[in-house]
Amino acid sequence: VTAKKIGVDESGEFPIYAYTFEPLDYEKTIFITANLRGGSDVTLVSLSFFLDELCRNFKENRTLSYIRSKVKLVVVPVLTVLVLTLTE
């Protein structure tokens, strides 16, 4: 997994990061974002559960196994960082 700062939020104060999960011999790329606007914390939680399943249960699930071994994932978990800081 690699992390890369891809910019800052609209306020110019908080960095936005993309995390890349890149298998050696990937066939496809999927770009995933979460928390696009205020009040959408459920997307961040859902993404967290999906990535946890991908890491822990890929041996029991063919689809997860395929994703883990053949799909490059580019994940931007939080697009609106400022909203998260305001709701804490």
Side-chain angles (χ1 to χ4, degrees), residues 22-81:
E22 187 172 340
L24 293 177
D25 188 28
Y26 67 92
E27 299 171 351
K28 299 176 182 188
T29 300
I30 297 176
F31 186 80
I32 303 171
T33 63
N35 206 9
L36 181 59
R37 55 191 164 86
S40 62
D41 294 346
V42 70
T43 62
L44 185 57
V45 173
S46 299
L47 177 58
S48 174
F49 280 121
F50 167 69
L51 295 174
D52 186 64
E53 284 292 307
L54 186 62
C55 291
R56 296 177 190 263
N57 297 317
F58 68 96
K59 291 179 182 176
E60 292 84 27
N61 184 295
R62 275 189 324 189
T63 303
L64 292 176
S65 180
Y66 175 80
I67 292 170
R68 186 176 165 111
S69 64
K70 296 294 182 184
V71 178
K72 175 181 175 180
L73 297 176
V74 180
V75 179
V76 181
V78 181
L79 285 173
T80 53
V81 184

Side-chain angles (χ1 to χ4, degrees), residues 9 14 80-88:
D9 73 339
F14 300 100
T80 53
V81 184
L82 179 61
V83 171
L84 283 181
T85 64
L86 296 174
T87 57
E88 290 182 344

